[in-house]
């Protein structure tokens, strides 16, 4: 089997050792892993889209799987030349990073850390977490882990997904009709949806108006989930009290973007959760083993749904 690492040459020194070790642990020949190969010989690709990597999959005629290093696959899923099964990244290290980012920023918001005076004694204690409902938009790998971590801290968590779900510790809602009920109760909204045609502008002028005045937003999902003009207007009017944004329609966020200077916006530079080579390599190796043993692949992307 020839396995091509097609995620950018500069990543090869970071990924080679963990991938080879994980392949050996999975009983695979790590000699099959390579940075260069004749496309016609490649049977699996470890892939991340960037300027160096192929975006025409046609020459990879023997390739049986494309294994994404990233959880979000919006830049690959619409590629018409990609006819092979596509698997996205579900990495315990990435999930843990997202849980830490989301709980950290929800607690920061909940405790009013940004509004504490540095010069005056203003003893206004925050409510308890139990009095601060959180909406978790997206109940996949990351939304579920983050929602359950917040529930463990005492926050009432209202979850929202495309299809009906039953997730312990989370009050689940789904479909367009479920969104309003979730947002009407939420004092903090966390968005962990994939970027698809259906999720674009999930938070827009109308849906933002359903929130209780002063609610906060934490978006580590994707920039397309939010109508930026509507959010800026809601921030200016006070309808939204604060937004912590990790992801944007254009990245890096342009220096003249209104978000940088807005007093009610915290910008983080797409650092909420990284794929971690030590743990992610094991996920890749398990899928390569499944491919060799003709078993179903894990984390297959539903091409029609786009995630
Ligand atoms: P996932 O497991 O695929 O879960 C996606 C969730 O979104 C599912 O619950 C799904 O509903 C829901 N959803 C999709 N379309 C919907 C719609 N139209 N209406 C309502 N709900 C919808 O994805 P994940 O692993 O949790 O990751 C979520 C996203 O996080 C990724 O796609 C990526 O964009 C982002 N991310 C960001 C970073 C960062 O550093 N900022 C890092 C990693 C990932 P169902 O359950 O019904 O399918």
């Amino acid at each position: 089997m020839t396995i091509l690492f097609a995620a950018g040459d500069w990543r090869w020194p970071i990924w080679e050792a963990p991938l080879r070790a994980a392949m050996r642990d999975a009983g695979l020949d790590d000699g099959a892993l390579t940075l260069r190969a004749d496309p016609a010989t490649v049977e699996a690709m470890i892939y991340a889209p960037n300027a160096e990597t192929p975006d025409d999959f046609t020459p990879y005629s023997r390739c049986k799987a494309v294994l994404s290093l990233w959880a979000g696959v919006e830049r690959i899923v619409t590629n018409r030349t990609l006819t092979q099964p596509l698997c996205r990244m579900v990495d315990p290290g990435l999930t843990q990073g997202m849980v830490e980012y989301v709980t950290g920023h929800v607690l920061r918001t909940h405790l009013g850390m940004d509004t504490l005076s540095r010069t005056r004694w203003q003893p206004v204690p925050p409510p308890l977490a139990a009095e601060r409902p959180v909406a978790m938009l997206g109940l996949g790998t990351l939304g579920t882990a983050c929602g359950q971590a917040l529930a463990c801290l005492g926050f009432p968590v209202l979850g929202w997904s495309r299809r009906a779900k039953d997730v312990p510790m989370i009050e689940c809602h789904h479909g367009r009709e479920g969104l309003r009920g979730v947002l009407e109760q939420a004092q903090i909204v966390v968005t962990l949806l994939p970027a698809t045609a259906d999720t674009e502008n999930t938070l827009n002028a109308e849906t933002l108006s359903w929130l209780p005045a002063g609610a906060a937003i934490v978006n580590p999902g994707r920039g397309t989930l939010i109508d930026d003009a509507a959010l800026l207007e809601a921030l200016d009017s006070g309808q939204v009290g604060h937004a912590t944004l990790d992801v944007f329609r254009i990245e890096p966020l342009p220096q003249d973007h209104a978000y940088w200077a807005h007093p009610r916006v915290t910008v983080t530079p797409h650092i909420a959760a990284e794929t971690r080579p030590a743990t992610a390599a094991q996920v890749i190796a398990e899928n390569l083993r499944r491919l060799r043993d003709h078993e179903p692949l894990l984390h297959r992307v539903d091409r029609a749904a786009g995630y």
Side-chain angles (χ1 to χ4, degrees), residues 71-74 88-90 94 98 137-144 160-165 175-176 191-196 198-199 219-222 246-247 270-274 305 307:
V73 290
E74 68 276 7
R88 63 189 208 93
M89 179 51 68
V90 175
L94 183 154
M98 188 61 85
L137 306 190
L139 285 178
T141 306
L142 300 177
T144 295
W160 184 66
S161 54
R162 185 166 63 95
R163 297 162 293 190
K165 298 195 104 161
R176 293 310 295 180
T191 40
L192 274 168
L193 298 161
T196 67
D198 282 349
T199 62
N219 180 23
R222 281 293 181 262
D246 186 57
V247 281
H270 201 145
I271 41 81
E274 273 259 302
Y307 67 98

Side-chain angles (χ1 to χ4, degrees), residues 71-140:
V73 290
E74 68 276 7
R75 287 173 62 190
I76 328 170
V77 77
T78 51
N79 188 321
R80 287 176 187 276
T81 68
L82 179 61
T83 52
Q84 298 86 349
L86 171 65
C87 299
R88 63 189 208 93
M89 179 51 68
V90 175
D91 161 32
L94 183 154
T95 302
Q96 179 59 24
M98 188 61 85
V99 167
E100 292 177 15
Y101 180 94
V102 168
T103 51
H105 286 285
V106 166
L107 280 172
R108 177 187 130 245
T109 306
H110 166 64
L111 296 174
M113 305 287 277
D114 297 343
T115 54
L116 287 177
S117 171
R118 289 167 184 237
T119 52
R120 278 191 298 140
W121 186 261
Q122 286 179 305
V124 183
L128 290 175
E131 301 160 76
R132 183 91 75 187
V134 175
M136 184 61 63
L137 306 190
L139 285 178

